[in-house]
Structure formats: C-alpha cells, structure tokens
C-alpha cells in the first residue's frame, strides 16, 4: 500500500512539473512572438499594421486604449509600437512570475532585440528594448527585476518622458544599463550600474548609480551623470578597489570639469580664471577631466580630481 501511494504521489508530482515546464515554455514563446513583431515595426515615416499582423485581439485593443473600440483594418506605426511595447512588458512579467523562472538562463531565453544585462551575482536584471521614438533621442523601454530568494520582484524605473523630480522618485534609470557589478561590504550587497543614452545627433549622457536592497525595495546611495559630445565610455568601475573613475573632455555641453554627484553643485575650475582658458576666438579651451570616487563603506566619495587645459595639437 505504501509503495502504491508513493508511486501515485510521484506521478502527480511529475505531471505537475511537466505542466509547469510547458506553461513556462508557452510564456516564453508568447514573449518571443511579440519581440519578433516589434522588431519589424518602423518608427520613421507613415506605416500601418493590421491587428492580425500584430497578433492582437479585440480585448488587447480595448485594454490598451482604455475604451471600447471597433476592430480596425490597421493601426498607425506609433499606436502599433505602443501596444506591442505593452504586450512585451506584460509577457515578460508573466515569464518572470512563473515558479520555474529561476531555472532559466535569462540572457539566452529571449530574442536578441530584448537586451538583458545582469549583475555578476546573478540577482539584479535589466531588460530593455529600443524605444522606437523615431527621432535622434534613442531612448529605451527598460524594466528592472531582482531575484529575492526564490522569486523575481520588479523595481520601478524613471519614466523617461517625465521629470525626475517626483515626490517618490524611482531609483533606476529609465533608459537601462550596459553593465551591472556587485560587491559586498559589512554583509550588504551593493550594485554599481553604468549606462548611457544618445539624446540628440551628437549628444550623449553617461550615468552611474550605486544601490542596495533593503527589505522590499532598493535604496539609492550614489549617482553621477555627465553630458558630452563624445560617445566613448567615460565611467569605469574597479571592483578590487571599489572605486569609480571618470574621464572626459569638456565641450559645449559640459564646459568645465564636474566631479560632484550633487546635481546643482558648481563646476570645479581648479581656481583658474575662465578668461585665461579662452582661445583667440574667445571660445573656452577644451580640458581633459578626471575624477576618482572611492567607496567609504556607504557611498562613493570624491578622493582625487584632475584638470588639464588641452593644446590645439593634443
């Protein structure tokens, strides 16, 4: 009798595990279907897509536009982009809410147009897609998830279309990240997140944040941002020394060396006069700037800074 009961329990468990695996595969397939559709959508010009092509139902249209709508022959490109972005977000959350999501290699499970950046401790994840804005501002739709024990929880990101100064601001940048690094100090795991975004034809914003997780959500410990005309990487993290290094050349977007994480702090000029830093045409001479921030147990503090006026042949 005990042997029969064991066999029955084992069969039920196997059937349940098989059903969960099939459910997860179906959720991943749905997400990849919408990612494939999204990859084919164009943001430039005037384009139209049928609900059938977009894999949408009437219920999808009603949910997206928040009112009863008639089945139309087609949707314009920006309506199509918006609704497929919503379907991608919905499908991604369904995948990560699955009990077996923790068994996945999330960096290879999805189509390539969903960028996945994870921390080196495999716990903090950034998912992002091209925002398809149609202009020179190449923003990304971004989602942050944290593996807390055996399940994923979502953390809010900044809305890229709204001001950052909110009553309860989000910790994470809405344009996503290129790199997420982790280190532990006094039993707390800290995460260094580095990213950049092109905001105009030759305008780039580079940013870095330091965060840690407390009870239910993340706490922001440090952030630094620099605007520049140069695409090259400007912010570097050294895990061994727990330090951040910043290197950049000034231009009309950042006319002086800026080595502060305080948003409204004045630029550091090294005590020199601006008049002496101008060329024959009255333009400010470019400067080579560097900043070193070192971790002090709670945040990054500026420890060294250097400014050098560049000659025309540099």
């Amino acid at each position: 009798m005990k042997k029969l009961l064991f066999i029955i329990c084992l069969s039920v468990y196997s059937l349940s595990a098989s059903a969960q695996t099939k459910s997860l595969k179906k959720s991943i397939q749905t997400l990849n279907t919408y990612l494939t559709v999204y990859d084919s959508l164009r943001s430039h010009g005037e384009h139209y897509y049928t609900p059938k092509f977009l894999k949408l139902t009437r219920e999808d249209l009603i949910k997206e536009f928040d009112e009863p709508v008639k089945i139309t022959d087609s949707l314009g490109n920006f309506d199509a982009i918006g609704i497929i972005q919503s379907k991608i977000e919905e499908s991604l959350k369904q995948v990560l809410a699955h009990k077996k999501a923790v068994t996945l290699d999330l960096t290879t499970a999805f189509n390539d147009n969903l960028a996945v950046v994870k921390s080196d401790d495999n716990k903090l994840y950034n998912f992002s897609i091209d925002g398809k804005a149609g202009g020179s501002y190449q923003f990304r739709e971004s989602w942050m998830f944290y593996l807390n024990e055996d399940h994923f929880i979502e953390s809010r990101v900044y809305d890229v279309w709204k001001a950052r100064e909110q009553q309860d601001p989000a910790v994470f940048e809405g344009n996503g990240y290129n790199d997420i690094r982790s280190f532990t100090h006094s039993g707390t795991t800290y995460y260094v997140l580095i990213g950049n975004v092109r905001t105009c034809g030759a305008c780039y914003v580079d940013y870095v944040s330091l965060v840690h997780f407390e009870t239910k959500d993340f706490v922001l410990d440090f952030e630094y941002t620099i605007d520049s005309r140069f695409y090259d990487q400007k912010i570097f993290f050294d895990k061994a020394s727990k330090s951040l290094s910043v290197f950049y050349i000034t231009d009309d977007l950042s006319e002086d060396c800026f080595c502060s994480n305080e948003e409204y702090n004045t630029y550091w000029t090294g005590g020199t006069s601006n008049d002496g830093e101008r060329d024959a045409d009255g333009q400010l001479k470019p400067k080579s700037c560097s900043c070193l921030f070192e971790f002090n147990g709670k945040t990054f503090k500026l420890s060294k800074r250097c400014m050098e006026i560049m000659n025309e042949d540099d």
Side-chain angles (χ1 to χ4, degrees), residues 51-208:
K52 181 179 180 181
F53 176 84
L54 298 171
K55 313 296 183 186
L56 298 175
T57 65
R58 185 174 187 274
E59 289 70 26
D60 291 328
L61 297 173
I62 292 173
K63 181 179 179 181
E64 175 68 14
F65 298 110
D66 200 27
E67 61 183 12
V69 295
K70 296 179 180 179
I71 295 295
T72 59
D73 293 334
S74 61
L75 292 176
N77 46 330
F78 286 107
D79 281 338
I81 288 170
I83 196 169
I84 298 302
Q85 285 177 351
S86 297
K87 296 299 292 183
I88 290 172
E89 179 177 5
E90 175 186 312
S91 301
L92 175 62
K93 291 180 179 179
Q94 287 177 353
V95 170
L96 297 180
H98 201 283
K99 291 181 179 180
K100 283 185 169 289
V102 295
T103 66
L104 293 173
D105 180 355
L106 296 174
T107 61
T108 60
F110 313 120
N111 286 4
D112 290 342
N113 59 326
L114 178 65
V116 183
V117 178
K118 67 174 182 176
S119 59
D120 44 14
D121 67 350
N122 301 317
K123 299 193 71 174
L124 186 59
Y125 289 79
N126 174 234
F127 302 88
S128 65
I129 56 176
D130 179 7
K132 291 184 182 283
S136 58
Y137 179 17
Q138 296 185 347
F139 88 95
R140 300 187 67 81
E141 290 286 344
S142 175
W143 303 275
M144 297 295 306
F145 283 86
Y146 177 64
L147 183 57
N148 187 24
E149 297 179 353
D150 61 347
H151 65 283
F152 287 96
I153 60 175
E154 184 180 10
S155 291
R156 293 184 304 113
V157 301
Y158 283 118
D159 187 329
V160 297
W161 299 115
K162 296 181 180 178
R164 290 168 62 103
E165 291 79 12
Q166 304 173 32
Q167 185 175 357
D168 182 24
V171 167
F172 296 109
E173 168 62 45
N175 282 295
Y177 300 94
N178 306 323
D179 191 19
I180 305 176
R181 310 286 293 280
S182 66
F183 66 88
T184 302
H185 179 81
S186 298
T188 299
T189 300
Y190 292 88
Y191 295 92
V192 180
L193 304 99
I194 300 175
N196 72 311
V197 60
R198 192 175 86 174
T199 57
C200 76
C203 313
Y204 302 94
V205 177
D206 292 74
Y207 45 86
V208 59

Side-chain angles (χ1 to χ4, degrees), residues 243-301:
S243 63
L244 283 175
S245 299
V246 180
F247 304 96
Y248 70 97
I249 297 173
T250 60
D251 50 42
D252 60 313
L253 295 181
S254 294
E255 293 185 342
D256 235 317
C257 294
F258 189 63
C259 290
S260 172
N261 64 319
E262 296 179 13
E263 186 173 2
Y264 297 108
N265 197 10
T266 57
Y267 286 97
W268 173 63
T269 63
T272 59
S273 168
N274 282 343
D275 293 338
E277 298 167 12
R278 297 182 182 275
D279 58 23
D281 296 325
Q283 301 297 316
L284 286 172
K285 295 179 180 179
K287 304 170 187 174
S288 174
C289 304
S290 62
C291 318
L292 178 65
F293 299 93
E294 295 181 312
F295 184 70
N296 68 356
K298 292 184 178 180
T299 185
F300 286 117
K301 285 291 187 181

Side-chain angles (χ1 to χ4, degrees), residues 39 59 223 226 234:
D39 202 36
E59 289 70 26
E223 64 179 351
I226 187 68
K234 304 169 190 67

